[in-house]
Amino acid sequence: HERLELAQRFRSDTSLQGLRLIAVSGWGGEADKRRALDAGFDMHLTKPVSVDTVHDVLEQSMEQSQAAQ
């Protein structure tokens, strides 16, 4: 699973601290979601993803970034 390896590499790179990783996959089982989170993704969304969901996730991410500052 290349995306899981990529997430792990991003998380090990200190210059990318604060980067929010969101997995978007056609696989939506609990084990699939757990693997994504364990690899370093902040969230897992299952396809198809609605525009409203993308909007909500981006809004939540911006709020969390502002709160951390």
Side-chain angles (χ1 to χ4, degrees):
H1 298 296
E2 294 173 3
R3 74 178 195 277
L4 300 178
E5 293 172 14
L6 183 60
Q8 290 169 338
R9 277 198 246 156
F10 282 174
R11 289 296 178 226
S12 67
D13 186 336
T14 57
S15 70
L16 298 175
Q17 280 183 320
L19 179 68
R20 189 150 167 86
L21 297 175
I22 301 167
V24 178
S25 172
W27 300 98
E30 289 304 314
D32 302 305
K33 293 176 184 180
R34 176 59 33 213
R35 274 193 295 276
L37 297 175
D38 288 347
F41 283 96
D42 296 296
M43 183 180 292
H44 180 282
L45 302 176
T46 304
K47 294 177 188 177
V49 181
S50 72
V51 172
D52 289 337
T53 299
V54 172
H55 178 268
D56 292 346
V57 167
L58 292 173
E59 189 173 75
Q60 178 187 24
S61 181
M62 288 178 10
E63 288 171 359
Q64 289 175 347
S65 292
Q66 290 171 350
Q69 293 179 359

